Amino acid sequence: MTSSDMDYLTIALPKGKLFTPSANLLARLGYTVPGLKEDSRKLILTNEEAKVKFIITKTSDLPTYVEYGAADIGVIGKDVLLEETKDVYELLDLKFGLCRMMMAVPQALKREKLSDYAHLRVATKYPNVAERFFHSEGMQMEIIKLNGSIELAPIVGLAEVIIDIVETGRTLKENNLVEIANIHASTARFIANRVSFKMKFARINQLAEDLKVLIEGDNAI
């Protein structure tokens, strides 16, 4: 980490649903930069006066940027942290972006017990989470990694079971899928690179404390 790097705080924000609430929350504390938007063509956006840099990354890549110090801090969903298992500090639950990781099957395949689904094929964007979940249940499953619309897999016969993240469950119902197990809840988290947290402790810790005050104030309303 050069002396120039030490002058700046580099913040990674994820593309997708968490981008706008993350950017808005940080802006309330003065951490912003002109032109900060999800579809920005610039790879790095800098506020020279505040000594802040922003990078906007693909959601699944963000923990890697923070783990390796390309970003000092970032905002990411707990679901991604559990899947990617990167070596970062999780400093704060930001309390927004609430959704849940669940297991679902077509209505016609609903069975009495969770163990009745053993040895079936599971489509998911979260193979590591799925593997740990089924291992904890003592179930052997064939896990198929997908990146697109997971709900399509049972419709076309690729898999009988899906594990995915949902907010309202509306998409499940539209595709005649029924939730079988709630695996874990997920909200946005404030994370930090381990070296950056030590080298820039005062600034990162102060930001974490300020964010905590904002969140507690918002939730008290």
Side-chain angles (χ1 to χ4, degrees):
M1 191 176 289
T2 67
S3 58
S4 174
D5 291 333
M6 283 297 297
D7 293 338
Y8 290 87
L9 194 63
T10 302
I11 304 172
L13 294 182
K15 294 181 178 181
K17 293 179 180 179
L18 295 183
F19 177 85
T20 298
S22 301
N24 289 345
L25 188 64
L26 288 164
R28 290 166 65 188
L29 295 172
Y31 287 83
T32 188
V33 60
L36 181 62
K37 53 187 180 183
E38 187 179 349
D39 60 353
S40 171
R41 291 183 180 277
K42 286 189 176 181
L43 300 178
I44 301 176
L45 298 98
T46 306
N47 181 332
E48 296 291 353
E49 186 178 345
K51 297 297 183 188
V52 174
K53 293 180 181 179
F54 282 92
I55 61 174
I56 303 164
T57 79
K58 185 178 176 182
T59 301
S60 59
D61 291 339
L62 191 144
T64 302
Y65 278 89
V66 175
E67 181 186 39
Y68 285 91
D72 298 308
I73 55 177
V75 177
I76 194 64
K78 181 68 173 179
D79 57 308
V80 179
L81 286 180
L82 289 170
E83 175 62 25
E84 298 298 327
T85 61
K86 298 300 182 181
D87 187 20
V88 298
Y89 280 131
E90 184 181 323
L91 300 178
L92 190 63
D93 181 350
L94 297 174
K95 308 288 187 185
F96 64 82
L98 177 63
C99 48
R100 66 186 187 281
M101 185 79 70
M102 57 82 232
M103 170 183 166
V105 298
Q107 186 78 45
L109 288 183
K110 189 174 180 182
R111 300 176 181 178
E112 279 191 32
K113 305 189 301 292
L114 186 63
S115 58
D116 291 339
Y117 298 99
H119 305 293
L120 297 181
R121 287 175 298 183
V122 184
T124 185
K125 296 176 188 173
Y126 302 89
N128 294 324
V129 169
E131 190 169 334
R132 289 196 299 269
F133 171 69
F134 289 119
H135 180 75
S136 72
E137 296 291 337
M139 297 167 64
Q140 285 191 322
M141 308 291 278
E142 182 180 350
I143 296 171
I144 301 170
K145 171 76 160 66
L146 293 179
N147 296 306
S149 300
I150 305 301
E151 297 84 6
L152 180 62
I155 296 172
V156 298
L158 177 62
E160 296 86 8
V161 178
I162 69 167
I163 283 183
D164 203 10
I165 203 84
V166 298
E167 287 181 77
T168 64
R170 189 179 69 185
T171 305
L172 292 180
K173 291 177 183 175
E174 289 175 351
N175 289 282
N176 296 314
L177 295 168
V178 58
E179 189 171 336
I180 297 302
N182 187 3
I183 299 172
H184 64 74
S186 174
T187 50
R189 306 300 166 105
F190 179 53
I191 64 172
N193 170 269
R194 290 185 177 274
V195 174
S196 296
F197 188 65
K198 293 174 183 173
M199 301 287 285
K200 304 179 183 181
F201 176 80
R203 195 172 183 193
I204 294 174
N205 189 61
Q206 186 61 58
L207 176 53
E209 291 296 322
D210 291 345
L211 285 168
K212 188 176 180 181
V213 170
L214 267 188
I215 293 159
E216 288 175 350
D218 288 347
N219 290 335
I221 295 173

